[in-house]
Amino acid sequence: MSVVVEEYNPLWPAHFQQIRSELASYLKGVSVKSIEHVGSTSVPGLAAKPIIDVDIIVSRENLGPAIDALVQNGSFTYLGELGIKDRHALRDPKQSPQRNTYICIDGAFQTRNHLALRDTLRTNTALREEYADVKRGLAARGVDIVDYLKGKGGIIQKILKESGILTEEELNAIDAANTNVERIGATKTAKLTLREFVTSDVDGYYELESDPDVVRYQTFEPFTYEQAKKQVFEILRDSACIPRQHIELAVTHENQLIGRVGAMLDPNSGKDGQPHLASLWFSFMPKWQGKGYATEAVEKFIELLGRRPLTLEIECDPRNTRSVKMAERLGFERVTVTERAYESKGEMVDSWVFRKSY
Ligand SMILES: CC(C)(COP(=O)(O)OP(=O)(O)OC[C@H]1O[C@@H](n2cnc3c(N)ncnc32)[C@H](O)[C@@H]1OP(=O)(O)O)[C@@H](O)C(=O)NCCC(=O)NCCS
């Protein structure tokens, strides 16, 4: 979907004030330093995507309480850092006027970055005009959000340099964040949706991994609710790392979580033209097995991994015939057979490794 940039709308500050007072009511009792209108809609006269960016600025120790207050009092969904350290994204159930809501750590350089960008653009007319031209140009070319963010990287660096409040190292980190967008957008197949995990997936994840049949051939026991919660938060945290090594997506059918697909990339692969090496896993609720859904999801996931050349491995306990069939169905070849490879649930089990190169 291409990005829409509109001329400045004088109603944007009023929209922000409305959002601000809603947020303040949810955050009552939490120590908040300030709630700031940031992003292009906060700069009078600047053309912008018509989305109000809001930073709730808190000290590090108030991050947890602020997230909890928004999730519990305002029905927000916590999305994690989304690749930007110290900027925690929340999906707001109210989307009119459209907004992005973040909780930002006071003094962290990403927080200072947002404020510096806004304050410089508010006072420097020439840079404001140049920035608006770049944005209009990108929108006129019909670019998607990924190319839009990349296309703005150069002018943002110029504005931040002008602000003079960030170090060279901090400027490089912002540039890397703007040019390495590693999040995978929600994608549909014929019957399924693959998307990044969100905190509200804990219940579904628990239903999946607490099932003894699902974990029958895994080394771990069925998950407790606490373990499921911890695992979902780990997936969220790992999704924010750049470069990303652990990539795991939720698979949904009619808006219900039915399984997950993941890969762990070897950190030393992919450099100097080497193939990216990754181990692949998948797990689906028993009531959704035997319908071809897992195959459909894994095929799409491999496409979304995108990295090429790519070599993928699937490790199976050979007693796990569904998993073995799955590897074969996907065209993987068995490359190693190890007898009594490791202990699983009190017994020594064999291990088969399947491999395929893309
Ligand atoms: C491994 C696992 C994902 C495989 O699931 P699955 O249900 O066999 O795979 P699919 O959803 O792709 O379904 C394929 C089966 O559905 C059948 N099927 C029925 N309708 C179908 C359709 N419309 N299209 C394709 N296949 C269909 C296929 O014939 C196939 O059956 P078969 O294996 O008996 O030949 C699943 O068993 C699982 O989650 N196990 C628990 C976790 C686990 O052990 N993971 C592996 C560790 S990496």
Side-chain angles (χ1 to χ4, degrees):
M1 208 168 65
S2 52
V3 169
V4 176
V5 171
E6 289 180 3
E7 289 311 311
Y8 180 74
N9 181 344
L11 289 175
W12 285 335
H15 290 167
F16 166 70
Q17 288 306 334
Q18 178 200 326
I19 295 169
R20 185 180 189 285
S21 56
E22 283 165 14
L23 289 172
S25 72
Y26 300 139
L27 289 160
K28 214 173 268 169
V30 179
S31 175
V32 170
K33 181 159 183 267
S34 61
I35 299 177
E36 301 279 346
H37 187 185
V38 295
S40 294
T41 60
S42 69
V43 179
L46 183 60
K49 285 197 294 339
I51 301 172
I52 311 282
D53 286 340
V54 182
D55 281 1
I56 301 162
I57 302 180
V58 298
S59 61
R60 201 169 290 281
E61 60 272 23
N62 283 304
L63 173 65
I67 294 171
D68 289 347
L70 292 182
V71 170
Q72 281 155 24
N73 305 335
S75 324
F76 282 73
T77 302
Y78 174 55
L79 303 177
E81 286 176 302
L82 304 186
I84 309 271
K85 196 173 175 315
D86 292 329
R87 190 202 70 173
H88 296 258
L90 290 109
R91 185 182 297 145
D92 193 330
K94 285 209 191 88
Q95 272 305 336
S96 178
Q98 245 194 309
R99 78 278 314 253
N100 290 320
T101 310
Y102 302 108
I103 303 179
C104 300
I105 304 297
D106 186 24
F109 90 88
Q110 286 297 351
T111 311
R112 290 186 287 126
N113 159 23
H114 287 181
L115 299 175
L117 198 68
R118 176 193 72 188
D119 294 343
T120 308
L121 286 169
R122 278 181 174 170
T123 51
N124 189 322
T125 317
L127 274 177
R128 185 164 69 226
E129 288 307 317
E130 193 179 336
Y131 187 40
D133 283 346
V134 169
K135 296 206 300 177
R136 283 194 204 99
L138 288 166
R141 276 172 37 210
V143 295
D144 64 18
I145 188 67
V146 172
D147 286 336
Y148 180 76
L149 292 175
K150 281 187 183 172
K152 287 195 317 177
I155 177 75
I156 287 180
Q157 284 280 305
K158 191 170 167 184
I159 301 164
L160 289 172
K161 259 191 198 128
E162 176 67 27
S163 80
I165 68 148
L166 297 169
T167 66
E168 197 64 30
E169 200 181 313
E170 288 172 336
L171 287 167
N172 290 341
I174 291 168
D175 195 36
N178 282 332
T179 49
N180 288 304
V181 182
E182 293 239 16
R183 297 284 296 179
I184 297 175
T187 307
K188 283 191 191 308
T189 64
K191 301 186 200 83
L192 310 168
T193 299
L194 275 71
R195 59 158 175 77
E196 297 280 0
F197 271 87
V198 291
T199 42
S200 53
D201 287 323
V202 172
D203 289 355
Y205 195 98
Y206 171 62
E207 187 183 342
L208 176 67
E209 297 298 327
S210 65
D211 187 323
D213 286 338
V214 170
V215 303
R216 168 74 187 86
Y217 300 108
Q218 308 301 328
T219 49
F220 52 85
E221 296 296 331
F223 273 22
T224 61
Y225 191 79
E226 274 314 302
Q227 283 172 316
K229 192 170 168 186
K230 191 164 164 247
Q231 193 60 35
V232 169
F233 276 85
E234 240 164 61
I235 295 171
L236 285 172
R237 192 201 55 207
D238 290 354
S239 75
C241 295
I242 293 174
R244 200 167 166 188
Q245 284 171 18
H246 173 191
I247 303 176
E248 184 150 353
L249 298 180
V251 181
T252 66
H253 177 65
E254 293 168 356
N255 289 326
Q256 271 181 41
L257 186 92
I258 66 159
R260 63 188 178 106
V261 190
M264 187 64 82
L265 282 135
D266 175 345
N268 298 314
S269 65
K271 292 174 189 152
D272 305 325
Q274 290 177 57
H276 287 273
L277 298 176
S279 53
L280 186 67
W281 62 85
F282 29 79
S283 163
F284 283 75
M285 291 183 191
K287 65 181 170 201
W288 298 105
Q289 292 183 20
K291 299 176 196 298
Y293 286 3
T295 308
E296 188 170 312
V298 175
E299 280 174 341
K300 177 53 78 179
F301 180 74
I302 294 170
E303 196 185 308
L304 292 174
L305 278 178
R307 296 155 165 83
R308 298 290 187 269
L310 172 69
T311 297
L312 290 175
E313 278 188 359
I314 300 172
E315 192 277 329
C316 300
D317 174 338
R319 298 170 305 163
N320 190 354
T321 49
R322 281 195 166 275
S323 181
V324 169
K325 273 186 166 181
M326 173 85 161
E328 290 170 348
R329 203 181 299 121
L330 291 164
F332 280 59
E333 259 180 58
R334 199 172 67 183
V335 289
T336 63
V337 169
T338 312
E339 287 180 13
R340 299 174 58 78
Y342 54 86
E343 195 186 309
S344 178
K345 301 201 165 78
E347 55 183 324
M348 292 304 290
V349 298
D350 297 350
S351 166
W352 288 359
V353 173
F354 292 82
R355 192 174 287 166
K356 185 171 177 185
S357 293
Y358 293 84

